[in-house]
Amino acid sequence: MSATRNKDITYEVIRSRRATADIVIERDGRVLVRAPESIPDKRIEDLIEAKLYWIYKNLAEWRDLNATRVLREYRNGEGFLYLGRSYRLLLVADQEEPLLLKNGRFCLRRDLVDRGEIEAAKAAFRDYYIARGAERIRQRVDYYAPKIGVTPRDINVRELGNRWALCSPNGNLAFHWKCTMAPQTIIDYIVVHELCHFHHLDHTAAFWNEVDKVMPAYGERKEWLRVHGAGLDV
């Protein structure tokens, strides 16, 4: 990956075995160019020039969306998302597990907060989402993979930075733990999206046509993720 500047735009280039180049705005606001290994730098510069208006427009939208990003606090009554539903937090003392979801509340061990271990509290949520997400997402992959005609080798849920999911060339799938915070319909979209990359590595018309075959209403789910994705955090 290399970082380059064009007028007022700083962008990063990732080269891989893909057929075409495209531009994406990452969830942290970075401009990313995904390009074939063989494409010359001049072609990438020309692509950036041609897409300047689109880049400025989408960066402005990113700023607007992130201006309302929710910053949660670890106190009684705070809401935390799981499968699209908000559950209130309850700090408890008599609990061995760092975090449990029971009786309609997230029960977090009070000592993690009382000692000021905010990172430990965040880790408790991450671990919970990873454990629950691994089971649920595997079920959805098992459901959709035969419909798309693919067979993933391995599936895991982990920290992926600014990516919702990844499909590796050797057939492994990885999903961000934050996916588990989204509604089931959005999780299904992310699963279908990655499974369709087994057939098409790029986001070409052929790729979206493959997604449409399995999930005709994918556009609504894609838009939901764009608008609400920044709010999926702990």
Side-chain angles (χ1 to χ4, degrees), residues 15 32 41 43 53 99 104 116 126 130 159 197-199 203:
R15 297 179 182 273
L32 193 66
D41 291 342
R43 285 274 303 281
Y53 174 77
L99 180 71
R126 285 195 297 267
I130 287 172
E159 172 65 49
H197 275 313
F198 278 69
H199 295 305
H203 291 97

Side-chain angles (χ1 to χ4, degrees), residues 37-199:
E37 295 174 344
S38 59
I39 192 172
D41 291 342
K42 182 62 168 58
R43 285 274 303 281
I44 295 177
E45 292 172 7
D46 291 343
L47 177 62
I48 291 292
E49 282 289 338
K51 294 286 188 178
L52 273 180
Y53 174 77
W54 181 90
I55 294 171
Y56 285 129
K57 177 175 177 290
N58 280 270
L59 283 176
E61 290 181 358
W62 176 84
R63 290 193 210 53
D64 289 343
L65 292 173
N66 281 270
T68 57
R69 183 172 181 172
V70 178
L71 296 177
R72 294 180 175 84
E73 298 182 14
Y74 295 88
R75 61 184 181 186
N76 284 323
E78 182 65 275
F80 288 82
L81 294 170
Y82 177 59
L83 299 180
R85 178 182 170 185
S86 181
Y87 293 88
R88 298 298 180 185
L89 183 66
L90 179 64
L91 301 179
V92 297
D94 54 344
Q95 179 174 291
E96 291 186 10
E97 296 291 333
L99 180 71
L100 291 174
L101 179 57
K102 60 181 182 181
N103 300 324
R105 286 181 177 269
F106 268 122
C107 299
L108 178 68
R109 242 178 38 212
R110 178 181 293 277
D111 63 300
L112 298 180
V113 178
D114 288 346
R115 295 201 303 262
E117 298 179 8
I118 300 303
E119 284 306 314
K122 289 184 177 181
F125 273 93
R126 285 195 297 267
D127 292 345
Y128 183 91
Y129 291 132
I130 287 172
R132 299 302 182 278
E135 179 181 355
R136 180 170 291 270
I137 289 175
R138 182 175 293 276
Q139 291 174 351
R140 304 315 291 164
V141 170
D142 290 343
Y143 175 78
Y144 281 108
K147 297 178 181 294
I148 299 170
V150 299
T151 306
R153 292 180 56 188
D154 187 45
I155 305 164
N156 68 76
V157 178
R158 55 187 170 89
E159 172 65 49
L160 286 179
N162 296 299
R163 304 292 296 274
W164 288 112
L166 288 173
C167 172
S168 72
N170 59 2
N172 293 329
L173 293 174
F175 296 87
H176 201 301
W177 57 266
K178 293 180 182 179
C179 291
T180 318
M181 303 176 74
Q184 184 63 62
T185 55
I186 306 305
I187 295 174
D188 283 358
Y189 163 69
I190 296 171
V191 166
V192 169
H193 185 116
E194 294 309 314
L195 289 173
C196 286
H197 275 313
F198 278 69
H199 295 305

Side-chain angles (χ1 to χ4, degrees), residues 4-19:
T4 311
R5 188 169 185 83
N6 179 290
K7 294 185 178 179
D8 295 326
I9 300 293
T10 299
Y11 60 93
E12 299 176 28
V13 180
I14 295 181
R15 297 179 182 273
S16 62
R17 293 181 299 164
R18 54 188 291 131

